[in-house]
């Protein structure tokens, strides 16, 4: 495609270079400067798109794209892509699963490709921002309207695909990863002190803030419009505002039938691909459900991938084998020794675009899957959040049953908490004391306590901050649930809390950065927005977890055997505490000593914590230390200043 603007430059793809990533700059009128900047940004995220790359630069705008070809592998799917009249240009990361249905709604357009990207352009041209309500998928995209000199950026409803941006002096820089923004040369490499308390409390930074001062994350379900006159962000979807009440008056069997149909349809949508694909299989309920339904809706055997361990006590391989045999999958089992994991740890840490206490596990399984020729894989992520799979769902119900305790005088409750802490010191006792010190039982206050890595008292000593900022999770729940708590079922409130905090800011972010580091696309059928909207409206009486994820299991109509349904939940288990004291000690000690020199840290206290951990103090967990190691490692690798 040729752009006719005399002040524009379109750089053709180089198919020899070897996942999508997007980048862009608005507000720099010097085309040569903009081109140099967006080229550097795009090169920094080359790992996200090994199949193709492209740029578009003209006065006011520069767009960059790295492509992992999943749909329409031909050169016609190249980006940036342009509308037929050359007025609109787009860079897009993600997939629109229902693009063929949307295409049928746009008969007035002549399509030249089989890609979903071209459908986004046509939909935007017809409906503007309202096009987002038609899309079912995971996406972050930017559209430049030449005639309006306006940039439109949008992110999917659940926040599956990331989008970071920096604004200053009429300029806006955006990208799929923070490191691309840093590479622009405009974004100061400076730590965001406001985010430190959030990171140490929850092992992440909750959007829209990031660990870099001035860099924000576009929130899920939001879009951003920038032109010469204004810059505005608007919400177009949220769980609180968009859950349905379709299940309220239905029988349990009818609700199960609906969920089965919605989940099956979600999986069918996510099997659209022009490249080899498979599924992660742990042998748990969620991944087994995905594999089971995949096997029902496609003819060829499902390719499944499992990480296995020699240590039978914490290996899930036998359960995965059982599911693979049941559904006759093309099963791939990879034995991983602790030494193998340790060997991959440096690469996993280098893959971290944004610091996180979790992530290496995702990197390992993604790397192995990609090395076996799979470009796209389905995951069971989201099942726990939707179907009450975490212990906090039951704990929340129990707290409501025991709320009479909070009618007792506060001093008496605190005394009871202190006595328990004296008799049985530890993390659980600290959290119980926090709960007993609350004035009343509200989810916005109780939920954050359950998700804390470090309690407020320890945090206040650890950081050299005059005052700690307001708790970010508490603020999120006020916004995402707030006054709606009287109408949203309690278990659905917990689901919303999990979705908008830990899932979006840890699980999804880590999944994206770790899978894209090895050029693997991960799709998450449990996060189809139609399924999410329906399940959030299901009454508590149907969702109450009498056994793990009962509602989901019953909706599958006997698809999964009892041995899978009622087995103990395991997940990845590694001897981190031993590693930090032995194999990883030198690396960890060096970074903790460096972090202790940072002005925002209470160095002597941090070193004391480290020494207590090494001495076997059970009140200091390996995770308390690991998040310190990760932060310092990330700051050093990205040259982040205090």
């Amino acid at each position: 495609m040729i752009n006719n603007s005399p002040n524009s430059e379109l750089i053709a793809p180089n198919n020899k270079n070897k996942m999508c990533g997007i980048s862009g700059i608005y507000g720099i009128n010097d085309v040569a400067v903009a081109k140099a900047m967006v080229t550097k940004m795009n090169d920094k995220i080359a790992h996200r798109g090994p199949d193709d790359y492209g740029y578009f630069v003209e006065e006011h705008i520069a767009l960059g794209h790295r492509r992992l070809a999943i749909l329409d592998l031909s050169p016609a799917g190249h980006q940036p892509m342009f509308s037929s009249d050359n007025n609109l240009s787009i860079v897009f990361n993600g997939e629109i699963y229902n693009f063929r249905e949307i295409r049928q709604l746009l008969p007035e357009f002549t399509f030249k490709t089989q890609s979903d990207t071209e459908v986004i352009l046509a939909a935007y041209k017809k409906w503007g921002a309202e096009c987002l309500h038609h899309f079912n998928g995971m996406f972050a995209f930017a559209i430049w309207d030449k005639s309006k000199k306006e940039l439109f950026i949008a992110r999917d409803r659940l926040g599956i695909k990331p989008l970071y941006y920096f604004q200053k002096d009429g300029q806006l820089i955006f990208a799929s990863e923070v490191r691309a923004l840093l590479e622009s040369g405009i974004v100061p490499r400076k730590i965001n002190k406001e985010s430190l308390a959030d990171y140490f409390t929850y092992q992440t930074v909750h959007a829209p803030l990031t660990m870099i001062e001035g860099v924000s994350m576009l929130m899920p379900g939001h879009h951003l419009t920038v032109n010469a006159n204004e810059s505005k962000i608007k919400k177009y979807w949220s769980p609180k505002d968009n859950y349905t009440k379709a299940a309220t008056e239905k029988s349990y069997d009818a609700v199960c039938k609906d969920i089965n149909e919605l989940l099956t349809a979600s999986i069918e949508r996510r099997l659209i691909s022009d490249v080899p694909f498979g599924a992660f299989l742990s042998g748990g309920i969620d991944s087994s459900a995905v594999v089971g339904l995949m096997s029902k809706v496609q003819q060829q055997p499902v390719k499944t991938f499992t990480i296995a361990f020699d240590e039978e006590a914490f290996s899930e391989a036998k359960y995965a084998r059982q599911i693979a045999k049941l559904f006759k999958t093309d099963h791939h089992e990879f034995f991983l020794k602790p030494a193998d994991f340790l060997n991959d740890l440096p690469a996993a840490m280098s893959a971290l675009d944004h610091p996180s206490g979790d992530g290496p596990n995702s990197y390992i399984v993604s790397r192995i899957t990609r090395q076996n020729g799979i470009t796209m894989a389905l995951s069971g992520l989201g099942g726990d959040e939707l179907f009450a799979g975490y212990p906090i769902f039951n704990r929340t119900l129990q707290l409501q049953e025991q709320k009479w305790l909070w009618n007792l005088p506060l001093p008496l409750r605190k005394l009871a908490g202190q006595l328990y802490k004296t008799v049985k010191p530890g993390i659980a006792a600290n959290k119980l004391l926090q709960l007993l010190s609350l004035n009343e039982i509200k989810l916005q206050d109780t939920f954050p306590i359950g998700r804390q890595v470090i309690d407020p008292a320890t945090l206040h000593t650890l950081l050299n901050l005059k005052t700690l900022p307001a708790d970010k999770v508490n603020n999120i729940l006020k916004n995402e649930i707030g006054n709606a708590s009287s109408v949203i079922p309690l278990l659905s409130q917990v689901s919303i809390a999990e979705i908008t905090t830990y899932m979006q800011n840890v699980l999804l972010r880590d999944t994206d950065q770790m899978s894209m580091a090895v050029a693997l696309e991960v799709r998450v059928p449990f996060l189809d927005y139609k399924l999410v909207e329906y399940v959030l409206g299901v009454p508590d009486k149907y969702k109450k977890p009498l056994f793990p994820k009962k509602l989901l299991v019953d909706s599958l109509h006997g698809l999964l055997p009892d041995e899978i349904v009622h087995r103990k939940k395991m997940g990845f288990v590694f001897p981190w505490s031993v590693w930090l004291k032995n194999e990883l000690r030198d690396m960890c000690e060096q970074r903790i000593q460096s972090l202790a020199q940072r002005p925002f840290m209470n160095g002597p206290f941090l070193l004391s914590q480290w020494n207590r951990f090494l001495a076997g103090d059970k009140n200091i967990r390996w995770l308390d230390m690991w998040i310190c190691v990760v932060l310092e490692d990330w700051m050093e690798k990205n040259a982040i200043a205090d």
Side-chain angles (χ1 to χ4, degrees):
M1 171 122 9
I2 298 173
N3 187 280
N4 297 316
S5 171
N7 295 319
S8 69
E9 181 172 354
L10 177 63
I11 304 173
N14 180 347
N15 290 320
K16 293 181 182 179
N17 278 6
K18 289 287 190 215
M19 296 154 64
C20 293
I22 64 175
S23 57
I25 307 163
Y26 166 83
I28 295 182
N29 296 330
D30 188 318
V31 172
V33 171
K35 174 190 171 184
M37 285 174 57
V38 80
T39 300
K40 290 173 65 178
M41 292 169 65
N42 217 34
D43 289 347
K44 196 66 177 178
I45 54 174
H47 53 273
R48 296 183 70 96
D51 296 327
D52 189 10
Y53 72 89
Y55 309 92
F56 168 68
V57 187
E58 68 174 13
E59 190 177 8
H60 304 301
I61 193 69
L63 301 176
H65 187 263
R66 300 292 316 202
R67 182 185 181 204
L68 174 68
I70 302 292
L71 292 171
D72 192 347
L73 308 186
S74 71
H78 172 68
Q79 293 186 43
M81 187 176 286
F82 301 85
S83 59
S84 57
D85 61 1
N86 268 358
N87 183 55
L88 301 179
S89 50
I90 183 174
V91 285
F92 164 48
N93 172 28
E95 305 287 347
I96 305 298
Y97 302 121
N98 63 333
F99 75 98
R100 291 191 176 98
E101 296 97 302
I102 298 172
R103 189 168 169 154
Q104 299 303 312
L105 302 176
L106 303 165
E108 65 269 38
F109 292 91
T110 300
F111 292 94
K112 299 180 180 180
T113 75
Q114 296 300 313
S115 74
D116 49 355
T117 311
E118 191 179 13
V119 173
I120 297 175
L121 275 176
Y124 182 76
K125 187 170 185 178
K126 180 172 183 177
W127 297 307
E130 292 300 307
C131 70
L132 297 170
H133 295 288
H134 291 270
F135 298 155
N136 187 332
M138 55 179 187
F139 55 83
F141 64 79
I143 294 178
W144 171 248
D145 187 317
K146 183 191 297 186
S147 62
K148 293 182 178 179
K149 297 291 186 286
E150 183 172 275
L151 181 66
F152 178 81
I153 302 175
R155 191 171 176 217
D156 65 69
R157 295 169 179 84
L158 275 303
I160 302 167
K161 285 297 171 184
L163 196 290
Y164 300 92
Y165 66 95
F166 175 84
Q167 274 184 296
K168 188 177 181 181
D169 300 332
Q171 298 174 354
L172 183 141
I173 307 172
F174 68 88
S176 297
E177 296 188 6
V178 172
R179 58 186 135 209
L181 297 182
L182 296 175
E183 195 69 13
S184 70
I186 289 181
V187 179
R189 295 175 181 262
K190 188 174 182 181
I191 199 78
N192 182 3
K193 291 185 173 62
E194 185 182 350
S195 295
L196 287 169
D198 198 23
Y199 174 76
F200 281 106
T201 303
Y202 298 109
Q203 65 174 313
T204 189
V205 177
H206 291 87
L209 296 181
T210 70
M211 196 58 88
I212 300 294
E213 188 175 288
V215 172
S216 299
M217 198 174 198
L218 185 62
M219 293 292 286
H222 285 66
H223 59 77
L224 165 65
T225 305
V226 183
N227 55 42
N229 299 317
E230 63 178 350
S231 172
K232 60 181 180 180
I233 295 176
K234 185 177 180 181
K235 178 174 69 175
Y236 71 90
W237 188 92
S238 72
K240 176 185 70 174
D241 298 326
N242 294 91
Y243 77 96
T244 71
K245 297 182 179 180
T248 305
E249 302 300 326
K250 291 190 175 184
S251 69
Y252 184 71
D253 288 345
V255 169
C256 288
K257 181 175 181 294
D258 288 345
I259 291 173
N260 185 291
E261 291 175 354
L262 286 165
L263 182 56
T264 300
S266 172
I267 287 172
E268 285 181 311
R269 278 191 281 270
R270 282 155 183 79
L271 296 182
I272 299 173
S273 173
D274 295 327
V275 297
F277 61 87
F280 299 140
L281 178 59
S282 69
I285 292 173
D286 301 331
S287 65
S288 299
V290 169
V291 168
L293 291 175
M294 285 177 73
S295 68
K296 290 181 66 176
V297 300
Q298 69 177 47
Q299 293 183 345
Q300 68 271 32
V302 178
K303 292 181 182 293
T304 52
F305 296 86
T306 296
I307 301 296
F309 306 104
D310 289 332
E311 295 81 355
E312 189 70 20
F314 59 88
S315 178
E316 298 183 295
K318 63 181 180 181
Y319 302 109
R321 282 184 220 120
Q322 184 178 350
I323 290 297
K325 183 178 180 181
L326 177 65
F327 297 115
K328 299 179 175 60
T329 75
D330 179 7
H331 192 51
H332 303 261
E333 190 175 279
F334 302 96
F335 278 90
L336 185 70
K337 296 179 180 179
D340 300 326
F341 189 94
L342 288 171
N343 289 336
D344 276 334
L345 189 58
M349 293 183 73
S350 295
L352 276 176
D353 176 54
H354 193 275
S356 167
D358 205 351
N361 299 339
S362 299
Y363 178 85
I364 299 296
V365 70
S366 296
R367 180 184 61 77
I368 290 173
T369 303
R370 188 67 179 92
Q371 285 179 345
N372 281 271
I374 299 300
T375 308
M376 184 272 284
L378 270 64
S379 164
L381 193 157
D384 283 318
E385 289 78 7
L386 267 191
F387 293 98
Y390 294 132
I392 195 168
F393 286 89
N394 262 328
R395 286 204 303 267
T396 300
L397 292 175
Q398 290 166 3
L399 277 175
Q400 289 300 315
E401 294 170 358
Q402 298 166 350
K403 64 189 305 182
W404 58 268
L405 280 170
W406 279 260
N407 293 327
L408 298 175
L410 178 60
L412 184 59
R413 283 184 274 124
K414 283 188 173 182
L415 177 61
Q418 290 287 1
L419 288 172
Y420 183 81
K421 186 176 178 180
T422 302
V423 174
K424 199 172 182 179
I427 305 299
N430 291 339
K431 294 190 175 187
L432 177 61
L433 179 57
Q434 285 188 71
L435 285 171
L436 291 172
S437 299
L438 296 173
N439 291 323
E440 57 182 324
I441 292 298
K442 285 186 176 180
L443 185 66
Q444 68 191 41
D445 299 318
T446 61
F447 180 87
I449 294 172
R451 275 291 176 199
Q452 287 174 2
V453 175
I454 295 178
D455 64 85
T458 304
L459 182 68
H460 202 277
T461 308
L462 181 66
L463 295 178
N464 279 333
L465 301 177
K466 292 181 180 179
T467 57
L468 293 179
D471 185 274
K472 293 297 187 295
V473 172
N474 182 274
N475 284 342
I476 289 170
L477 300 194
K478 285 179 182 176
N479 293 328
E480 296 297 333
I481 299 174
N483 296 331
S485 62
S486 60
V487 294
I488 302 175
L490 179 60
L491 291 176
S492 293
Q493 292 179 47
V494 181
S495 288
I496 293 173
E498 286 288 351
I499 287 168
T500 56
T501 59
Y502 183 70
M503 189 193 83
Q504 290 179 347
N505 295 279
V506 177
L507 296 181
L508 286 175
R509 185 184 288 177
D510 285 351
T511 296
D512 177 82
Q513 60 187 349
M514 292 306 190
S515 63
M516 297 305 267
V518 296
L520 176 74
E521 178 178 293
V522 177
R523 297 181 178 179
V524 281
F526 280 110
L527 298 187
D528 187 290
Y529 82 92
K530 293 185 177 181
L531 176 64
V532 172
E533 289 179 350
Y534 185 89
V535 176
L536 289 180
V538 173
D540 286 344
K541 63 181 180 180
Y542 292 163
K543 201 184 295 181
K544 188 174 181 180
L546 301 177
F547 60 81
K549 285 170 274 199
K550 180 180 185 299
L551 176 60
L552 173 59
V553 171
D554 289 347
S555 298
L556 297 172
H557 306 315
L559 185 70
L560 303 182
D562 287 347
E563 302 95 302
I564 299 299
V565 172
H566 297 291
R567 77 174 182 85
K568 183 179 179 181
K569 188 178 178 67
M570 296 170 68
F572 282 103
V573 180
F574 289 109
W576 282 99
S577 185
V578 175
W579 286 346
L580 265 63
K581 295 174 183 176
N582 295 281
E583 291 91 342
L584 297 176
R585 177 167 176 169
D586 290 344
M587 184 271 284
C588 291
E589 198 152 68
Q590 184 273 321
R591 283 156 181 77
I592 285 176
Q593 288 174 349
S594 297
L595 185 65
Q597 303 302 312
R598 304 276 186 181
F600 55 77
M601 297 296 298
N602 179 343
F605 180 74
L606 174 58
L607 294 176
S608 171
Q609 294 285 92
W610 173 244
N611 289 327
R612 287 172 60 193
F613 168 74
L614 293 176
D617 189 332
K618 293 183 179 180
N619 289 311
I620 313 296
R621 299 170 301 169
W622 70 267
L623 183 57
D624 301 335
M625 295 294 96
W626 181 244
I627 59 176
C628 298
V629 173
V630 170
L631 177 61
E632 178 61 26
D633 187 80
W634 177 81
M635 290 183 70
E636 290 178 8
K637 282 186 170 68
N638 292 279
I640 307 301
D642 301 327

